[in-house]
Amino acid sequence: MATPGSGFWSFGSEEGSGDAENPGTAKAWCQAAQKFTGGIGTKLCALLYGDGEKPMETGAKEGLGSAEKTPACTCNNKPCSCQKADINYAFLHSTDLLPACNGEITTLSFLQDVMDILLQYVVKSFDRSTKVIDFHYPNELLQEYNWELADQPQTLEEILLNCRTTLKYAIKTGHPRYFNQLSTGLDMVGLAADWLTSTANTNMFTYEIAPVFVLLEYVTLRKMREMIGWPGGCGDGIFSPGGAISNMYAMLIARFKMFPEVKEKGMAAIPRLLAFTSEHSHFSVKKGAAALGIGTDIQIPYTPPYNGFVPFLVSATAGTTVYGAFDPLLAIADICKKYKIWMHVDAAWGGGLLMSRKHKWKLNGVERANSVTWNPHKMMGVPLQCSALLIREEGLMQSCNQMHASYLFQQDKHYDLSYDTGDKALQCGRHVDVFKLWLMWRAKGTTGFEAQIDKCLELAEYLYNKIKNREGYEMVFDGKPQHTNVCFWYVPPSLRSMEDNEERMNRLLKVAPVIKARMMEYGTTMVSYQPLGDKVNFFRMVISNPAASHQDIDFLTEEIERLGQDL
């Protein structure tokens, strides 16, 4: 149970208790936390490292124990800056928080306790002695806790407990040994930006309600277009809810460019359309084709009689999801130019390499694209979600999507209406996704992102060189990976002397799922696996977390071998 007013809760002894190997580091961290965060840092320090590691406040009296009650504040300052009052959340509800009358003290105390919970989680996310996951099966979690919604409100004490419980079973995606998805890591500036965005709680459809955020979107999208290579950052763009929607936007706009009448008259008024993509492209290309009424027969190889079909789009991929491969963009651009077909580049995963002088050549030709999807929440480590669609032709997106809703987009406003960007989006309500990218870019600079990305690619090369000739490992494809995707099979000792036949494949396909399940049950690390085409289940290791190091790569291989030796 939570202690009323404390805001603290332990994840359990198996999670470790801080930096036991380096107590000096622990003390330094405590001192910094105390200096810059005051009460929050002091309490977090005491929780993580014990009272013996907590630095004494300057001028504080010895012997002031935690059992001693803090008197309630009686000052008239709003917001109050006094020491937090002793508040018992067991008798309080959300109706006691602002905008309740005299709710300032309770609100500040409650939010500080929420912050304590969040900061504890953040610090533990980077502690290698903690688990990546405290895995429980769905039925276990459903039975252990009451997740149902009720008619009567819970107390604030119970609300804090809900927060702690949720984070207890959350995956630590910022953990240095979490390699499961393309989106990993936990950036502190990005996290702060997300907190600020939620506090502002506004919508991106008009300048009048999101003035700074709209301007930052304008500035950031222009910079991204410059990075692509479009002169002066010309064109248009928008932040959307993920790469799948960005890809669908591109397909929608490409169709409108070729057949603008489709907006009013529908698909019946235009010929049958044909889009091309590779068999390794993201499944969202197919989903977009299905959603837009184009159909899903869009993959190469495709050899229909073209009578009645009109090719309108080629969707190339810069960084495929599984292999991390890059399509030959220059050659594709030549074909698209010859046949006057829209060229889209899905660089959701590979777009971040444009920040690196060492690796951006892998996207040579992207500057010739008509549209580009780029997800900063992947390789650049921006907190989810942050995906941009970038269009080379200015005004086209607006023409394709605008509906002139007069209650939002009045034409007689007193400012430049070009900053009312909502009518070019499919959404009406649109989350502020730009601020975390913008603030991180300000904090790191382009060179900071470059160093981060180069490090991840170097770690991938380290893993590849480590296992390519190592006993018990087989690479899924020949050659050095183009991105941070390293795809391999772990072959247990029992299979190493077997002939390469169907029986061996049937046994090998079971290896990765068992090792992955054991990883999750122990909570030590997470890495993805999948089959692809005629290839049975293999591990797909991806590195996008700047917290990862060579020791984490070494740990991963050792853990795979430990968990798979008996299979």
Side-chain angles (χ1 to χ4, degrees):
M1 286 293 290
T3 302
S6 71
F8 293 131
W9 182 78
S10 173
F11 281 0
S13 58
E14 76 278 4
E15 293 283 3
S17 57
D19 194 351
E21 295 181 1
N22 193 347
T25 301
K27 289 181 179 179
W29 188 93
C30 287
Q31 290 167 354
Q34 161 67 12
K35 178 178 179 181
F36 292 107
T37 64
I40 296 177
T42 301
K43 292 190 292 183
L44 184 61
C45 172
L47 174 68
L48 293 175
Y49 301 114
D51 288 335
E53 299 289 355
K54 182 178 69 173
M56 182 69 66
E57 292 185 30
T58 303
K61 296 180 180 179
E62 292 188 24
L64 184 62
S66 60
E68 198 169 324
K69 298 295 183 182
T70 304
C73 170
T74 58
C75 79
N76 294 320
N77 297 329
K78 294 183 180 181
C80 171
S81 59
C82 299
Q83 190 173 15
K84 191 176 71 173
D86 184 46
I87 295 176
N88 191 339
Y89 295 127
F91 301 101
L92 298 173
H93 296 81
S94 64
T95 50
D96 295 299
L97 302 173
L98 287 174
C101 183
N102 297 321
E104 292 90 344
I105 294 173
T106 302
T107 298
L108 291 174
S109 178
F110 173 74
L111 291 179
Q112 181 171 315
D113 283 342
V114 172
M115 185 63 69
D116 290 345
I117 295 169
L118 297 177
L119 290 177
Q120 178 190 353
Y121 181 81
V122 167
V123 172
K124 284 184 174 290
S125 290
F126 293 96
D127 184 350
R128 288 176 173 84
S129 69
T130 65
K131 291 183 176 183
V132 175
I133 176 178
D134 183 358
F135 179 77
H136 287 64
Y137 288 96
N139 62 310
E140 293 175 335
L141 283 180
L142 287 171
Q143 292 171 9
E144 190 170 348
Y145 296 95
N146 178 14
W147 306 98
E148 298 301 321
L149 299 172
D151 292 335
Q152 298 304 313
Q154 288 190 326
T155 66
L156 292 182
E157 179 181 73
E158 292 170 311
I159 295 303
L160 289 172
L161 183 59
N162 293 159
C163 293
R164 299 180 191 111
T165 302
T166 300
L167 285 180
K168 173 179 169 59
Y169 298 108
I171 312 301
K172 294 190 184 75
T173 57
H175 198 289
R177 292 172 181 169
Y178 175 79
F179 305 107
N180 205 68
Q181 309 299 142
L182 304 183
S183 304
T184 65
L186 184 60
D187 187 271
M188 296 300 99
V189 174
L191 179 62
D194 234 359
W195 289 346
L196 185 148
T197 297
S198 294
T199 303
N201 192 33
T202 193
N203 200 315
M204 285 294 289
F205 45 56
T206 60
Y207 177 84
E208 66 182 278
I209 65 166
V212 176
F213 294 135
V214 166
L215 293 178
L216 295 184
E217 185 171 72
Y218 171 81
V219 168
T220 305
L221 290 172
R222 183 182 62 194
K223 181 65 174 179
M224 295 174 79
R225 293 192 297 267
E226 288 178 4
M227 302 292 290
I228 289 171
W230 294 337
C234 66
D236 204 347
I238 201 166
F239 283 93
S240 71
I245 302 300
S246 292
N247 286 339
M248 188 173 73
Y249 264 125
M251 192 172 287
L252 178 72
I253 295 165
R255 182 179 66 179
F256 176 81
K257 174 69 174 177
M258 185 171 283
F259 297 103
E261 64 271 26
V262 73
K263 180 178 178 180
E264 294 181 358
K265 298 180 180 178
M267 288 292 287
I270 66 174
R272 290 286 305 277
L273 299 180
L274 194 63
F276 292 96
T277 191
S278 81
E279 60 184 337
H280 292 285
S281 66
H282 194 263
F283 68 87
S284 62
V285 180
K286 268 188 162 183
K287 277 200 170 186
L292 296 177
I294 294 165
T296 58
D297 288 335
I298 60 172
Q299 286 191 306
I300 295 173
Y302 190 80
T303 55
Y306 284 137
N307 296 333
F309 284 87
V310 177
F312 81 108
L313 173 135
V314 173
S315 181
T317 309
T320 58
T321 305
V322 179
Y323 287 168
F326 290 76
D327 284 340
L329 302 183
L330 286 169
I332 292 171
D334 289 340
I335 293 171
C336 290
K337 180 179 179 180
K338 179 179 179 180
Y339 293 100
K340 298 180 180 179
I341 300 174
W342 184 281
M343 178 182 174
H344 174 64
V345 176
D346 177 4
W349 176 222
L353 272 62
L354 290 170
M355 312 292 278
S356 168
R357 287 166 289 185
K358 182 177 179 180
H359 295 285
K360 66 180 180 180
W361 64 269
K362 297 171 186 177
L363 289 95
N364 283 351
V366 70
E367 72 281 357
R368 296 176 61 186
N370 298 97
S371 58
V372 177
T373 291
W374 181 352
N375 284 11
H377 69 230
K378 291 182 177 174
M379 200 62 203
M380 294 170 68
V382 177
L384 286 158
Q385 63 192 18
C386 187
S387 174
L389 174 73
L390 304 147
I391 305 291
R392 189 167 62 183
E393 181 178 337
E394 187 173 2
L396 186 59
M397 192 175 197
Q398 183 86 2
S399 299
C400 178
N401 295 324
Q402 68 181 161
M403 290 296 167
H404 306 286
S406 60
Y407 71 96
L408 284 175
F409 309 113
Q410 301 92 340
Q411 296 304 296
D412 52 0
K413 291 181 179 181
H414 62 289
Y415 58 82
D416 184 348
L417 297 180
S418 68
Y419 291 102
D420 281 1
T421 57
D423 213 10
K424 67 182 177 184
L426 290 177
Q427 303 159 260
C428 180
R430 190 161 66 90
H431 187 260
V432 178
D433 290 330
V434 65
F435 186 66
K436 50 201 169 187
L437 171 58
W438 178 84
L439 199 65
M440 285 176 63
W441 209 325
R442 297 274 283 199
K444 296 174 185 288
T446 304
T447 57
F449 275 124
E450 177 182 42
Q452 177 178 310
I453 289 164
D454 286 351
K455 176 190 174 184
C456 290
L457 282 145
E458 187 276 324
L459 286 175
E461 185 174 357
Y462 174 79
L463 173 61
Y464 169 72
N465 290 331
K466 181 182 179 72
I467 66 174
K468 65 180 179 180
N469 297 316
R470 186 182 179 95
E471 184 181 14
Y473 292 85
E474 295 179 9
M475 307 310 297
V476 173
F477 57 86
D478 295 330
K480 178 181 170 183
Q482 293 180 289
H483 208 335
T484 70
N485 309 52
V486 183
C487 299
F488 61 91
W489 289 283
Y490 173 71
V491 183
S494 65
L495 302 184
R496 292 174 192 171
S497 60
M498 290 185 66
E499 294 183 12
D500 189 7
N501 54 27
E502 184 176 355
E503 180 186 355
R504 184 178 186 271
M505 288 297 101
N506 287 337
R507 292 179 62 180
L508 186 59
L509 72 85
K510 300 175 183 178
V511 171
V514 172
I515 293 176
K516 173 66 177 291
R518 291 176 178 179
M519 284 178 179
M520 294 180 68
E521 287 166 0
Y522 281 105
T524 52
T525 187
M526 286 180 69
V527 61
S528 181
Y529 74 86
Q530 68 282 303
L532 187 65
D534 61 352
K535 296 176 172 60
V536 300
N537 287 323
F538 56 87
F539 285 111
R540 181 207 64 171
M541 172 71 173
V542 287
I543 304 168
S544 60
N545 187 351
S549 67
H550 292 92
Q551 80 174 87
D552 300 308
I553 303 301
D554 294 338
F555 176 86
L556 175 73
T557 57
E558 292 165 4
E559 190 69 353
I560 287 174
E561 292 164 11
R562 181 181 76 86
L563 297 175
Q565 280 290 319
D566 63 333
L567 298 178

